[in-house]
C-alpha cells in the first residue's frame, strides 16, 4: 500500500476494484490510511463475497456521492440452480437441494423473461435494509424472522453468457444491467424458485456504475498511487455540464439565484454541474421556476 500522505489531500473521486473477502468499509479504511484523511465515503456497498467497482469520495467530493449512489449498475454473476441457501448466496448455509439436471435451456430462458423490465422484488433477508432501526442481516443472524417489503426495481438486461451442467446443478454465468437497489442475490433466488429447483449466487462482480467502469481501477493496495478524478469531471459525467461565468460562480457560492437562467438547462434535465471559467466545480444547480438555484455547493478549495 502507498505510504501515508504528508500533504493535504485534494477533493476527488476514486474508483477501486474491490477484491473478495473485504467489506466496503475495509476498503474505505485502507483509503483513509493511504491518503492520510478520514473524510472518505463510498457509494453503493458491495458484500464481502462480491468483487468489482467501488466508488470513493475524498474530502469535499464526498458531497457528490449522493448523485452517484442512485445510478444504474452492471453486474457479472454466477447463479447455481439446484441449491438454495439461507442468504441467497454462497456465504450462507445450504437449506435445500433439488436435482436441476433435467431443466432445459429454453425453460431457463423462459423463467428469466419475467425477471426483466420493471419488476417487484423482495430483497434478500440478509441485506443492509433497516427494519425498525436495525439492519435486516443483524436481525436474521440473531434468529429473528425478517419480513421485507417488495420494492420496484428495473432489470434492463438479464442475459445468460454461459451454462455449465453438473451432476445435479446448473451454473449460469449472467450479466445484469439494473437500477440502483436491485439485489442480484434475489434474482438468483427468484429464478430458482420459478424453476422449482432453488437457486443462489456463487459469484458477483460489479463492472459499472453509471458512466464509470471497473476497467483499470486500482485494487485497495494501490490506492494513492494515481491521481484522483476531479470533482468537476465526475460531476459533469454524471449530471451534465453548465459553464458559468466568474460572476455567476461567485453568486452561486454566496447562495444567490441566477435570475431568469432556467432556460439554460434542457426541460427534461434535472440538476447539472456548474463549472466556472477555471474548470472548478462550483456545485450542482437546479431549476426553480425561471431561475437557477444551487442545490449543493462545493468547498472553494475543490480540485479541478
Amino acid at each position: 500500500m502507498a505510504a501515508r500522505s504528508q500533504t493535504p489531500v485534494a477533493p476527488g473521486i476514486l474508483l477501486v476494484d474491490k477484491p473478495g473477502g473485504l467489506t466496503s468499509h475495509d476498503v474505505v479504511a485502507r483509503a483513509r490510511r493511504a491518503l492520510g484523511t478520514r473524510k472518505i465515503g463510498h457509494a453503493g456497498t458491495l458484500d464481502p463475497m462480491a468483487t468489482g467497482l467501488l466508488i470513493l469520495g475524498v474530502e469535499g467530493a464526498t458531497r457528490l456521492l449522493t448523485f452517484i449512489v442512485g445510478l444504474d449498475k452492471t453486474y457479472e454473476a454466477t447463479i447455481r440452480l439446484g441449491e438454495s441457501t439461507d442468504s441467497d448466496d454462497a456465504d450462507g448455509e445450504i437449506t435445500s437441494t433439488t436435482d436441476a439436471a433435467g431443466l432445459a435451456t429454453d425453460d431457463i430462458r423462459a423463467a428469466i423473461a419475467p425477471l426483466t423490465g420493471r419488476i417487484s422484488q423482495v430483497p434478500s433477508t440478509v441485506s443492509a435494509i433497516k427494519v425498525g432501526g436495525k439492519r435486516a442481516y443483524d436481525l436474521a443472524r440473531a434468529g429473528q424472522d425478517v419480513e421485507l417489503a417488495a420494492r420496484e426495481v428495473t432489470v434492463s438486461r438479464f442475459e445468460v453468457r454461459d451454462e455449465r451442467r453438473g451432476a445435479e446443478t446448473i451454473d449460469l454465468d449472467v450479466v445484469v444491467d439494473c437500477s440502483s437497489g436491485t439485489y442480484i442475490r434475489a434474482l438468483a433466488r427468484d429464478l430458482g424458485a420459478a424453476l422449482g429447483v432453488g437457486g443462489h449466487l456463487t459469484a458477483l462482480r460489479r463492472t459499472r456504475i453509471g458512466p464509470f467502469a471497473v476497467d483499470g481501477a486500482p485494487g485497495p493496495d494501490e490506492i494513492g498511487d494515481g491521481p484522483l478524478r476531479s470533482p468537476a469531471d465526475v460531476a459533469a459525467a454524471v449530471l451534465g455540464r453548465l459553464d458559468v461565468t466568474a460572476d455567476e460562480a461567485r453568486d452561486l457560492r454566496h447562495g444567490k439565484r441566477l435570475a431568469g437562467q432556467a432556460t439554460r438547462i434542457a426541460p427534461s434535465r434535472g440538476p447539472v454541474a456548474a463549472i466556472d471559467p477555471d474548470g472548478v466545480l462550483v456545485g450542482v444547480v437546479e431549476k426553480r421556476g425561471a431561475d437557477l438555484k444551487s442545490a449543493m455547493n462545493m468547498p472553494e478549495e475543490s480540485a479541478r
Side-chain angles (χ1 to χ4, degrees), residues 29-295:
R30 292 193 184 192
R32 287 170 175 167
R33 290 194 297 270
L35 299 178
T37 178
R38 290 202 55 79
K39 195 170 183 181
I40 297 179
H42 67 82
T45 300
L46 282 175
D47 292 331
M49 184 192 83
T51 69
L53 183 59
L54 190 66
I55 296 183
L56 306 184
V58 180
E59 296 292 338
T62 55
R63 300 185 185 191
L64 293 177
L65 295 179
T66 187
F67 301 100
I68 295 174
V69 69
L71 298 175
D72 289 354
K73 299 168 177 65
T74 297
Y75 294 91
E76 295 175 355
T78 301
I79 296 171
R80 176 161 295 172
L81 298 175
E83 295 177 349
S84 297
T85 73
D86 57 7
S87 63
D88 300 326
D89 64 20
D91 283 342
E93 298 293 329
I94 294 177
T95 57
S96 67
T97 60
T98 304
D99 190 348
L103 288 175
T105 297
D106 287 347
D107 292 337
I108 295 172
R109 301 304 197 274
I112 286 175
L115 296 174
T116 59
R118 188 71 176 169
I119 65 172
S120 180
Q121 182 187 73
V122 177
S124 297
T125 300
V126 184
S127 70
I129 295 173
K130 286 190 175 182
V131 179
K134 295 184 177 181
R135 300 290 185 184
Y137 56 69
D138 288 331
L139 296 173
R141 289 165 185 164
Q144 298 187 35
D145 291 332
V146 180
E147 293 187 8
L148 298 177
R151 56 176 60 186
E152 295 294 311
V153 297
T154 299
V155 178
S156 52
R157 177 170 57 153
F158 189 169
E159 177 185 333
V160 177
R161 293 285 182 83
D162 191 27
E163 178 183 306
R164 299 183 300 282
R165 292 178 175 262
E168 296 184 345
T169 61
I170 301 174
D171 284 351
L172 304 175
D173 291 337
V174 303
V175 59
V176 177
D177 293 334
C178 58
S179 62
S180 179
T182 304
Y183 282 85
I184 310 303
R185 286 178 293 164
L187 288 179
R189 175 201 66 204
D190 293 345
L191 177 61
L195 291 165
V197 298
H200 72 281
L201 206 63
T202 63
L204 181 66
R205 179 167 176 78
R206 186 160 65 196
T207 60
R208 180 188 65 86
I209 299 176
F212 308 110
V214 72
D215 297 340
D221 291 337
E222 289 76 47
I223 291 175
D225 291 343
L228 298 174
R229 299 189 180 214
S230 77
D233 288 345
V234 169
V238 171
L239 301 170
R241 177 181 181 126
L242 176 70
D243 290 299
V244 297
T245 67
D247 288 342
E248 289 171 335
R250 183 187 61 251
D251 287 345
L252 289 171
R253 289 189 175 110
H254 290 166
K256 297 181 180 180
R257 297 190 181 200
L258 303 185
Q261 298 299 304
T263 55
R264 293 167 65 181
I265 300 178
S268 60
R269 183 174 288 279
V272 299
I275 300 183
D276 74 11
D278 293 325
V280 174
L281 177 64
V282 178
V284 176
V285 298
E286 61 186 3
K287 290 174 283 189
R288 285 292 179 89
D291 304 338
L292 290 180
K293 180 181 181 298
S294 178

